[in-house]
Amino acid sequence: SLKVPLFHTAFETGASAASGIKAALQVRGDDETTVVAWAGDGGTFDIGLQALSGAAERNEDFIYVCYDNEAYMNTGIQRSSATPFGAWTTTTPGDAWKQDKKKDILGILAAHGVPYAATATVAYPDDLVAKVKKAKSIRGTRFLHLLAPCPPGWKSADDDTIELGRMAVHSRVFPLVEVENGQDWRITMEPKGDPVGPYLRRQGRFRHLTDEQVGAIQAQVDARWEVLKRRASR
């Protein structure tokens, strides 16, 4: 359906498979074909991180897209390290909701010094397309962290998908940024700084949270934003 050559691999092997495919193309004298790896948050943040880290350390020449819906949605809404603090999943039910913060995957890739890493969301397609084009113009390991709400896993309405993406950006839960060579951080869309409460309350996976717990999440978001601002002002 994509009308391009496609390898469907084990989802923890996206980065290693992409590395091998690029190497094979180069052996054949093809330095022009763009290789893209596509994996979810579980296959990126968790079981595929070793392969991705190795590829990033070697600066393998491909684009890696992490399609992040903040849990293992394809196999039953299990917790991943991309699941945010406070969220319900099938493996964190009831009072056992996710007690840990979401892993900073962009910071991890930036620490590898890759040529390009960025966040994007389906809610802002112009920003997304611009970042894909920029990534395509660069050689080496390029990483795109794409937030995509999942109605069943987030317990939200299908037609809330775009609005939730926008709310994630403007509440600073998911800022839109790009990093070049691990050092040059830039905020690509200035968020409004909306409170996180309306964003959380629109999703059934956070229904159990008290106002005090929502306040704790707000404090986490504010602290991460201050770190990002310092990085972007260097």
Side-chain angles (χ1 to χ4, degrees):
S1 63
L2 298 177
K3 295 183 170 55
V4 296
L6 175 70
F7 282 77
H8 190 185
T9 69
F11 69 98
E12 71 274 20
T13 66
S16 52
S19 300
I21 290 168
K22 185 63 180 184
L25 289 168
Q26 290 172 331
V27 167
R28 296 177 62 180
D30 180 355
D31 288 319
E32 300 303 320
T33 298
T34 300
V35 176
V36 179
W38 183 278
D41 51 277
T44 301
F45 284 63
D46 299 334
I47 63 175
L49 184 59
Q50 179 177 354
L52 178 57
S53 176
E57 184 269 329
R58 298 188 303 271
N59 197 27
E60 299 283 1
D61 187 24
F62 61 77
I63 298 173
Y64 187 105
V65 182
C66 173
Y67 184 86
D68 180 11
N69 43 33
E70 299 190 322
Y72 289 86
M73 299 302 185
N74 193 49
T75 54
I77 319 174
Q78 298 96 342
R79 168 209 192 279
S80 80
S81 58
T83 304
F85 174 86
W88 164 92
T89 71
T90 56
T91 52
T92 54
D95 293 336
W97 45 264
K98 173 81 182 292
Q99 304 289 322
D100 310 294
K101 298 176 185 177
K102 180 171 182 171
K103 185 182 290 182
D104 180 12
I105 195 67
L106 191 73
I108 290 170
L109 268 293
H112 285 71
V114 298
Y116 188 72
T119 60
T121 171
V122 294
Y124 288 102
D126 289 346
D127 179 79
L128 170 58
V129 169
K131 286 171 177 172
V132 170
K133 288 181 176 178
K134 187 168 185 177
K136 191 175 185 300
S137 72
I138 297 170
R139 303 301 291 263
T141 303
R142 293 141 288 167
F143 178 77
L144 297 176
H145 181 192
L146 176 62
L147 181 70
C150 174
W154 290 25
K155 295 186 178 295
S156 59
D158 291 355
D159 56 4
D160 277 348
T161 296
I162 299 302
E163 184 60 23
L164 282 170
R166 291 172 179 166
M167 293 174 81
V169 171
H170 287 296
S171 64
R172 298 170 177 163
V173 168
F174 191 81
L176 297 180
V177 301
E178 61 182 8
V179 194
E180 296 189 57
N181 301 311
Q183 298 180 354
D184 299 324
W185 291 71
R186 187 169 73 89
I187 298 167
T188 60
M189 178 175 290
E190 190 66 31
K192 297 175 182 177
D194 295 336
V196 300
Y199 170 71
L200 299 175
R201 296 303 186 195
R202 199 149 178 172
Q203 304 168 59
R205 60 178 178 157
F206 294 111
R207 186 179 295 122
H208 53 274
L209 294 178
T210 65
D211 289 343
E212 183 180 4
Q213 290 162 343
V214 171
I217 293 173
Q218 182 71 68
Q220 293 175 11
V221 169
D222 291 344
R224 290 197 303 269
W225 176 249
E226 290 303 315
V227 171
L228 175 59
K229 283 200 304 183
R230 288 195 294 272
R231 285 171 166 172
S233 64
R234 292 173 184 169

